[in-house]
């Protein structure tokens, strides 16, 4: 049987394993012979939680998410940039190595907006014959750049702190240093709240990680207060020791950021999302068993692949209708899921040959 196509994007496989595209240019009706009660329930669900499978709507949603991410990046870049410039002036005036470490970190945090911005712009590009899943993975590459930037800032802060320990010097204007530290905390905490909020809303792990990074920067800014207090009391080593503590804090952030980026690169997802998707799939009429459900992040969007078992006596059209309902249920149930590839397997009765056996030597 030859595969057939419709003018829309999400793909399914029919009961015989043939791939074919599936979409919903037809007034979004998934009735497929359902009872009036089922159709009424379906319509009510759309009123409460409307969505569309149309390719254009999905692109618009992705564009909106990227645009919101870009706004968060540029606004936070402006706030952190202004904070870092103010702190730089104080560093040049006071000579505080603790504040220098914090300033370097703030500059690095502000600069992480650049690779993320490039990633969001690339992510808007449509999939093509070469990049068949689109350009969402650019966010993961940006995450690697962020990790390297954090590592570099840790190295610079550590070098300056160790140099000051070996060559102690007094800092001037400890009161101004304290003010700069408070300004750094306020700026970083505001940026952290904003980035984390937007990142969670659009499903961008890189933006959430960057927000957590900014929050840690805020607390390291407060640590500079301790160095300024020690300097005010005449303890020369207070400033470089706090600089070393800030370096340690940066390394902790580096560990967490590297772990998050590694998980994304390895296609890790929250198991709760898989549980939710499996539960929704099992509730679809006609699904006898959920054989497999896989998910992966592509940037800040999720894609899924599912294999479900259906009655072997169903026609190709009936098996296709079940696949449609499975994708429909998954998109409703799993946040930020944009598409699902659904394969239907016929339930095997006694003495029925399993057609998948011929593939066994390819999968062992």
């Amino acid at each position: 049987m030859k595969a057939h196509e419709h003018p829309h994007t999400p793909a399914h496989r029919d009961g015989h394993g043939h791939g074919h595209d599936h979409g919903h240019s037809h007034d979004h009706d998934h009735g497929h012979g359902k009872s009036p009660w089922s159709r009424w329930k379906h319509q009510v669900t759309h009123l409460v939680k409307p969505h569309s499978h149309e390719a254009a709507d999905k692109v618009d949603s992705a564009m909106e998410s990227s645009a919101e991410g870009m706004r968060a990046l540029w606004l936070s870049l402006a706030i952190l940039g202004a904070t870092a410039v103010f702190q730089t002036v104080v560093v040049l005036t006071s000579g505080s190595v603790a504040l220098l470490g914090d300033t370097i970190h703030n500059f690095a945090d502000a600069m992480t907006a650049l690779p993320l911005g490039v990633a969001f712009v690339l992510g808007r590009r449509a999939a093509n014959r070469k990049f068949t899943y689109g350009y969402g993975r650019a966010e993961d590459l940006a995450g690697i750049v962020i990790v390297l930037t954090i590592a570099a800032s840790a190295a610079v802060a550590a070098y300056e702190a160790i140099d000051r320990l070996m060559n102690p010097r007094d800092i001037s204007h400890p009161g101004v240093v304290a003010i700069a530290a408070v300004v750094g905390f306020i700026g970083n905490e505001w940026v952290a709240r904003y980035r984390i909020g937007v990142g969670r809303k659009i499903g961008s792990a890189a933006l959430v990680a960057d927000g957590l990074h900014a929050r840690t920067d805020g607390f390291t800014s407060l640590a500079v207060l301790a160095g300024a207090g020690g300097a005010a009391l005449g303890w020369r080593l207070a400033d470089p020791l706090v600089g070393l503590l800030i370096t340690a804090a940066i390394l902790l952030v580096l560990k967490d950021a590297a772990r998050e980026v590694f998980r994304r690169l390895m296609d890790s997802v929250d198991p709760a999302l898989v549980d939710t998707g499996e539960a929704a799939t099992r509730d679809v009429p006609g699904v006898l068993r959920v054989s497999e459900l896989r998910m992966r992040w592509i940037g800040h969007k999720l894609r899924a692949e599912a294999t479900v078992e259906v009655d072997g006596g169903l026609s190709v059209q009936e098996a296709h209708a079940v696949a449609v309902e499975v994708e429909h249920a998954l998109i409703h149930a799993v946040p930020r899921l944009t598409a699902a590839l659904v394969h239907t397997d016929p339930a095997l009765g006694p003495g029925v040959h399993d057609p998948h056996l011929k593939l066994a030597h390819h999968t062992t």
Side-chain angles (χ1 to χ4, degrees):
M1 182 178 295
K2 188 176 180 180
H4 61 279
E5 294 184 356
H6 299 293
H8 13 260
T9 54
H12 300 284
R13 293 186 181 274
D14 57 36
H16 296 275
H18 296 293
H20 55 275
D21 289 342
H22 164 74
H24 305 273
S25 58
H26 46 66
D27 298 329
H28 206 75
D29 181 14
H30 302 299
H32 300 292
K34 283 186 169 184
S35 67
W37 162 252
S38 297
R39 288 194 295 269
W40 179 85
K41 180 180 178 183
H42 176 85
Q43 295 301 326
V44 171
T45 301
H46 272 279
L47 289 175
V48 176
K49 188 178 180 182
H51 78 274
S52 172
H53 298 279
E54 289 286 356
D57 291 340
K58 289 181 179 179
V59 171
D60 289 344
S61 177
M63 291 278 285
E64 183 180 347
S65 296
S66 297
E68 198 163 355
M70 289 291 291
R71 284 194 295 271
L73 288 176
W74 294 127
L75 186 55
S76 59
L77 173 62
I79 298 296
L80 287 178
T83 300
V85 168
F86 173 71
Q87 287 183 321
T88 299
V89 174
V90 178
V91 167
L92 295 175
T93 303
S94 66
S96 170
V97 71
L99 186 59
L100 174 61
D102 190 44
T103 303
I104 291 171
H105 202 190
N106 282 336
F107 267 121
D109 194 23
M111 291 301 102
T112 56
L114 299 181
L116 269 178
V118 172
F120 282 137
V121 171
L122 282 176
R124 296 180 179 185
R125 299 181 65 179
N128 53 47
R129 296 282 292 179
K130 188 172 184 179
F131 296 93
T132 56
Y133 281 94
Y135 294 80
R137 285 288 191 182
E139 282 189 41
D140 298 326
L141 296 178
I144 295 175
V145 175
I146 290 171
V147 168
L148 294 176
T149 302
I150 297 172
S153 66
V156 173
Y159 174 82
E160 293 294 338
I162 292 172
D163 178 68
R164 186 60 63 88
L165 277 175
M166 298 176 65
N167 304 287
R169 295 192 300 274
D170 292 328
I171 68 170
S172 59
H173 310 294
V176 179
V177 172
I179 293 174
V182 173
V183 170
F185 170 75
I186 294 174
N188 275 288
E189 180 60 21
W190 187 91
V191 167
R193 288 174 179 267
Y194 187 47
R195 283 182 176 177
I196 291 171
V198 174
R200 287 176 177 166
K201 179 180 178 181
I202 68 174
S204 173
L207 191 55
V208 171
D210 219 19
L212 294 172
H213 177 200
R215 174 158 290 164
T216 304
D217 288 351
F219 288 116
T220 58
S221 294
L222 287 182
V224 175
L225 282 174
L233 296 174
W235 186 28
R236 287 175 129 192
L237 295 181
D239 187 58
L241 287 176
V242 169
L244 287 176
L245 289 176
I246 290 174
T247 301
I250 296 174
L251 290 175
L252 289 176
V253 172
L254 176 62
K255 181 195 68 151
D256 292 340
R259 181 176 58 195
E260 289 300 317
V261 171
F262 174 78
R263 287 175 175 173
R264 279 298 173 95
L265 290 173
M266 293 299 293
D267 287 331
S268 172
V269 298
D270 184 353
L273 292 177
V274 181
D275 293 340
T276 299
E278 287 180 342
T281 302
R282 281 192 295 267
D283 288 340
V284 173
V287 172
L288 303 180
R289 186 170 69 92
V290 181
S291 303
E292 184 178 55
L293 177 61
R294 296 182 181 184
M295 296 182 189
R296 70 192 311 183
W297 286 99
I298 300 178
H300 49 268
K301 296 177 288 185
L302 272 173
R303 291 184 68 95
E305 297 175 6
T307 300
V308 298
E309 191 173 286
V310 300
D311 186 347
L314 295 181
S315 67
V316 172
Q317 185 174 1
E318 290 168 335
H320 171 264
V322 174
V324 170
E325 291 299 339
V326 169
E327 185 188 18
H328 190 186
L330 285 171
I331 290 177
H332 267 301
V334 180
R336 292 178 290 277
L337 181 70
T338 58
L341 179 68
V342 180
H343 174 77
T344 55
D345 279 339
L348 301 177
V352 178
H353 176 70
D354 184 358
H356 294 111
L357 291 178
K358 65 176 64 176
L359 302 175
H361 66 284
H362 292 292
T363 58
T364 55

